[in-house]
């Protein structure tokens, strides 16, 4: 392993602690050896759905490397499959990348290069490296062979250059029906790598495209478009997930045989569009996908959850989409911390959901101000205070960081406390309020419970107690040994709030497990969302949408991005204070 000393002086300072995964090592070596003067990466989503947390890993990697090594990263929409793509996704993806804290050097679309791809295909035809094939999809499958048997040459493989050019131009002119013909690379039907057995480069699809309208009845295939897109943009390191490892020989074949760098005329359409002419030989490097338990991550399944109404849309706070996680209260810093913890390798692994939750807790513990809220209210009347008693207490916003300052918390004779903080018949070890017992009211003194009031149905509706006037924090009377401290809000001042208690969407670690005829639908957690009416202190109600708090003793919450207002607060539980799942096994 080479060390930091081998890096050239010109490198910008690395962020601390320096990340040392194998891809960053390759980048470091390429800069040190002078193979590249600057690093250029790209994030290439297909706009056929919303981004999920797996994409966040790829975003943090591509934009992270560009940032750490003084390079740049492009955002490129892989819009080569217009039937499944939508401008709604294009907008959301940009929102997501920016939310994560990254900015692209240049925003591109594969469709920006359709003309370059077309010229590249004609060049391959002229070089005898591509041909128009009339086999149907089914016949192509039959000719392809298997992992153990070589394929057979298409009967159309030896068409003349003239005939191929003529047919390909007529494909472009829209003369043929969908599926009637394909343009195929002429490589090797006996290759051990099936991707090299004369793969399709273009197919006919009379489908309108969101950017190019009906200009194109033919669309390039992924491997052709992606490799050339990287080359066109001068991408130095093309980072993708492991399933593309077997595609790398085809990726290289396209880059080498089209040779954009050596054929400036192929890039002329870029100049016509005002795009820079870059062209370089990119290197594809694969890393393992992010997989997390208790969640599904394929766009197809996420789409089905939305389509079947099993969640409230792509941004439902239980979804692993970036829009969903954001609405749940995940912060960009937590997402980046998570990506860093997960790291980059070639080993496929399954990350425990608690690692994600842990990253959020760690960020919010440091970054979220504290507030008081009661989610299952029970009234406590401090009978020894006058009816109109009212005062303002000063509370620290953060126990470990004075920089957060203080806030005013109103206090009065009637409070809401948490129903579970009172027990008539206390379980063993119960340290909170019991009849005749004492407990500390956070920041306000020691209260004794004198009376339990019930309704006709026998339910407890109110507690009456005595607040020791000598027990304010700082007074001598506060020194008494009292086991528990509970939180509260002043009933008169508190604002009623909708509290959405979210939990994991699935009850099992592997919702993709389809044994015994089950599907992920059978593993949905019926308790993944519980909505309750609670009370929050005024300083919480006044939050801006997307502001996060720790509600003392109950968890981290965020003011809902869309539904929260000061008059009608809505808070989503982002994560509990402690991991409640490990004990469930
Ligand atoms: P899905 O399989 O969920 O539908 P995809 O790979 O089809 O996702 P793309 O839009 O093609 O989605 O992905 C854009 C980039 O994000 C690709 O480079 C892809 O490798 C990367 N990516 C997608 N899913 C993950 C994941 N789970 N972990 C890491 N990177 C991912
Ligand atoms: Mg994909």
């Amino acid at each position: 392993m080479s060390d930091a000393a081998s890096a050239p002086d010109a490198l910008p300072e690395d962020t601390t602690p320096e990340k040392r995964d194998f891809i960053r090592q390759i980048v470091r070596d390429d800069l040190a050896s002078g193979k590249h003067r600057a690093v250029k990466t790209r994030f290439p989503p297909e706009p056929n759905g919303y981004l999920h947390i797996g994409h966040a890993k790829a975003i943090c990697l591509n934009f992270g490397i560009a940032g750490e090594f003084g390079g740049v990263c492009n955002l490129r929409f892989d819009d080569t499959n217009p039937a499944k793509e939508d401008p709604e996704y294009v907008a959301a993806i940009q929102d997501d990348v920016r939310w994560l804290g990254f900015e692209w050097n240049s925003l591109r679309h594969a469709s920006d290069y359709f003309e370059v791809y077309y010229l590249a295909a004609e060049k391959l035809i002229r070089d005898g490296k591509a041909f128009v094939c009339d086999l149907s999809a089914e016949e192509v499958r039959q000719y392809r062979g298997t992992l153990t048997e070589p394929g057979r040459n298409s009967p159309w493989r030896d068409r003349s250059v003239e005939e191929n050019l003529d047919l390909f131009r007529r494909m472009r002119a829209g003369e043929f029906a969908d599926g009637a013909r394909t343009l195929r690379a002429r490589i090797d039907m006996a290759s051990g790598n099936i991707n090299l057995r004369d793969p399709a480069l273009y197919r006919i699809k009379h489908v309108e495209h969101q950017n190019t309208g009906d200009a194109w009845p033919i669309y390039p295939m992924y491997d052709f478009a992606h490799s050339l897109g990287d080359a066109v943009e001068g991408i130095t390191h093309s980072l993708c997930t492991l399933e593309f490892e077997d595609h790398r020989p085809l990726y290289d074949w396209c880059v080498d045989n089209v040779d954009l760098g050596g054929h400036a005329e192929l890039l002329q359409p870029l100049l016509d569009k005002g795009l820079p002419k870059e062209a370089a030989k990119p290197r594809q490097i694969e890393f393992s996908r992010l997989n997390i338990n208790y969640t599904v991550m394929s766009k197809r399944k996420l789409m089905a959850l939305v389509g079947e109404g099993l969640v409230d849309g792509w941004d439902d706070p239980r979804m692993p989409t970036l829009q969903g996680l954001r609405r749940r209260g995940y912060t960009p810093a937590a997402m980046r911390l998570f990506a860093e913890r997960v790291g980059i390798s070639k080993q496929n692994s399954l990350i425990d959901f608690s690692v994600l939750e842990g990253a959020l807790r760690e960020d919010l513990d440091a970054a979220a101000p504290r507030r008081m809220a009661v989610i299952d209210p029970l009234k406590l009347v401090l009978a020894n205070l006058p009816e109109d008693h009212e005062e303002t207490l000063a509370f620290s916003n953060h126990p470990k960081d004075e920089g957060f300052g203080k806030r005013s918390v109103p206090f009065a004779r009637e409070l809401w406390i948490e129903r579970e903080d009172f027990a008539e018949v206390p379980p063993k070890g119960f340290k909170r309020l019991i009849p005749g017992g004492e407990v500390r009211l956070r920041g306000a003194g020691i209260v004794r419970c004198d009376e339990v009031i019930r309704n006709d149905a026998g339910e407890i509706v109110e507690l009456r107690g005595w607040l020791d006037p000598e027990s304010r924090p700082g007074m001598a009377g506060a020194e008494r040994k009292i086991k528990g401290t509970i939180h509260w809000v002043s009933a008169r001042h508190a604002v009623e709030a909708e509290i959405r208690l979210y939990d994991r969407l699935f009850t099992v670690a592997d919702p993709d497990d389809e044994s015994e005829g089950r599907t992920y639908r059978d593993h949905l957690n019926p308790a993944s969302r519980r909505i309750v009416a609670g009370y929050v202190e005024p300083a919480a109600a006044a939050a801006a949408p997307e502001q996060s708090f720790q509600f003392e003793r109950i968890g981290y919450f965020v003011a809902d991005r869309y539904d929260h207002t000061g008059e009608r607060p809505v808070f989503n539980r982002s994560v509990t204070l402690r991991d409640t799942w490990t004990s469930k096994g």
Side-chain angles (χ1 to χ4, degrees), residues 524-550:
L524 285 167
N525 176 6
S528 62
R529 181 182 59 189
R530 202 156 57 83
I531 298 183
V532 299
Y535 291 100
V536 301
E537 61 167 288
E546 299 209 87
Q547 198 175 349
S548 290
F549 296 113
Q550 183 193 101

Side-chain angles (χ1 to χ4, degrees), residues 41-317:
T41 55
R42 85 289 170 265
F43 173 63
E46 179 176 0
N48 62 351
Y50 282 78
L51 298 184
H52 52 61
I53 181 147
H55 294 113
K57 172 175 174 172
I59 292 171
C60 289
L61 178 67
N62 280 293
F63 284 92
I65 284 184
E68 288 155 40
F69 293 95
V72 293
C73 181
N74 284 355
L75 174 60
R76 185 199 316 144
F77 288 105
D78 167 26
D79 56 350
T80 51
N81 195 4
K84 291 199 270 166
E85 295 158 8
D86 198 292
E88 175 192 343
Y89 304 134
V90 171
I93 289 170
Q94 294 179 56
D95 190 36
D96 287 339
V97 172
R98 288 209 165 106
W99 173 68
L100 281 175
F102 300 111
E103 187 61 52
W104 45 90
N105 171 62
S106 182
L107 178 71
R108 303 290 181 89
H109 297 80
S111 56
D112 295 336
Y113 312 138
F114 278 177
E115 204 69 51
V116 176
Y117 297 156
Y118 180 82
L119 294 180
E122 283 206 349
K123 173 186 183 286
L124 290 177
I125 292 173
R126 278 196 303 277
D127 293 347
K129 290 175 179 166
F131 66 100
V132 172
C133 181
D134 297 1
L135 293 182
S136 67
E138 181 48 39
E139 289 165 330
V140 167
R141 257 191 298 280
Q142 288 162 9
Y143 277 77
R144 187 177 293 136
T146 64
L147 284 174
T148 47
E149 281 170 41
R152 284 175 291 138
N153 284 351
S154 162
W156 311 104
R157 198 173 196 264
D158 294 318
R159 277 177 160 149
S160 69
V161 167
E162 290 66 32
E163 188 182 3
N164 277 321
L165 272 181
D166 174 61
L167 286 171
F168 187 50
R169 286 173 185 164
R170 288 164 60 195
M171 280 170 63
R172 180 190 183 157
E175 278 188 37
F176 309 119
D178 287 10
R181 296 193 154 89
T182 51
L183 182 74
R184 295 175 66 180
R186 204 163 176 274
I187 309 180
D188 179 7
M189 288 306 290
S191 171
N193 184 334
I194 292 186
N195 292 299
L196 293 181
R197 295 186 188 169
D198 293 4
L201 302 179
Y202 266 95
R203 61 182 158 180
I204 303 175
K205 251 187 189 240
H206 292 264
V207 178
E208 183 134 340
H209 187 281
Q210 44 155 333
N211 281 340
T212 58
D214 56 7
W216 293 90
I218 56 173
Y219 289 98
M221 301 301 289
Y222 175 82
D223 291 297
F224 184 65
H226 187 245
S227 56
L228 295 187
D230 285 343
V232 162
E233 290 174 24
I235 301 302
T236 55
H237 301 82
S238 175
L239 313 177
C240 64
T241 35
L242 279 180
E243 68 272 21
F244 292 104
E245 198 161 19
D246 289 344
H247 294 242
R248 193 188 333 131
L250 177 56
Y251 181 100
D252 289 338
W253 185 94
C254 293
V255 170
D256 291 340
N257 287 281
V258 170
D259 186 21
L260 288 170
H263 294 82
E265 72 280 6
L266 301 178
L267 296 167
Q268 189 56 41
L270 292 183
L271 295 182
D272 297 345
K273 278 175 151 276
L275 291 172
K277 224 168 68 160
E278 281 157 296
K281 184 170 158 61
R283 169 172 174 194
Q284 174 176 308
I285 305 168
E286 308 86 14
F287 62 95
S288 61
R289 297 177 83 77
L290 174 66
N291 298 301
I292 307 183
N293 61 11
Y294 292 96
T295 197
V296 296
M297 207 120 70
S298 93
K299 278 185 204 156
R300 187 175 54 78
K301 287 182 180 164
L302 297 176
M303 185 97 65
L305 286 171
V306 174
E308 293 171 27
L310 299 170
V311 294
D312 286 344
W314 286 100
D315 62 358
D316 184 302

